[in-house]
Amino acid sequence: MERQTFQKSVVLNYLKGVYTHPSAETVYLAVKEKIPNISKGTVYRILKNLVDKKEIKEITAEVSRYDGDNSNHAHFICQICNNIHDLMDFCKDCSILKNKKTKVGEINKYTVNFYGKCNKCSK
Ligand SMILES: [Zn+2]
Ligand SMILES: [Zn+2]
């Protein structure tokens, strides 16, 4: 496998296997365990490339986070611990998403972020 393709597949496989929505820094540290000589710049470039190609999602939080699950789903972002949780069943019956139509046009994808305090931090 070509070096670049291999590096890209390691990044993508890592993202597909976690549900933590890691930051670029976290991705870099994880990928470094498999490819010790990879540079931070390379990992950042791969992430940007995967986002551009819509293979992963970028979540704009305080620091950008990445999601290997490209399906439509909403996120709950804890403002205290910064953990990001998936809300898969969000708005299942919401009329806008059911009909995929709004007054101004048709919806083909969506991004929704909720911000709050997670259960762990509320204890
Ligand atoms: Zn929390
Ligand atoms: Zn997600």
Side-chain angles (χ1 to χ4, degrees):
M1 206 188 287
E2 200 189 316
R3 198 174 74 136
Q4 261 179 318
T5 316
F6 173 69
Q7 291 175 332
K8 199 179 134 185
S9 76
V10 170
V11 170
L12 195 57
N13 281 341
Y14 169 70
L15 280 173
K16 298 265 180 211
V18 294
Y19 297 95
T20 48
H21 308 86
S23 65
E25 177 74 24
T26 308
V27 175
Y28 166 66
L29 292 174
V31 169
K32 207 168 143 57
E33 282 180 22
K34 294 213 164 112
I35 316 171
N37 62 350
I38 198 164
S39 74
K40 203 180 261 193
T42 303
V43 171
Y44 280 55
R45 233 180 355 261
I46 291 169
L47 285 170
K48 191 185 175 305
N49 191 262
L50 288 169
V51 171
D52 288 346
K53 288 193 170 144
K54 299 191 170 37
E55 288 186 61
I56 61 169
K57 278 198 290 200
E58 183 173 359
I59 305 157
T60 317
E62 239 172 279
V63 177
S64 277
R65 305 270 288 262
Y66 298 90
D67 195 347
D69 181 352
N70 218 2
S71 68
N72 280 325
H73 61 274
H75 289 119
F76 179 93
I77 303 173
C78 177
Q79 293 170 297
I80 298 183
C81 65
N82 287 318
N83 279 341
I84 300 181
H85 301 272
D86 289 327
L87 293 178
M88 293 299 181
D89 55 357
F90 160 75
C91 212
K92 243 184 203 157
D93 299 314
C94 160
S95 65
I96 276 190
L97 290 178
K98 245 181 169 167
N99 304 324
K100 306 226 184 293
K101 277 200 167 90
T102 71
K103 272 184 194 162
V104 289
E106 226 172 272
I107 297 169
N108 47 45
K109 65 170 208 160
Y110 69 82
T111 313
V112 181
N113 292 336
F114 295 103
Y115 296 86
K117 202 181 190 184
C118 75
N119 291 336
K120 236 162 82 186
C121 292
S122 298
K123 271 180 197 160

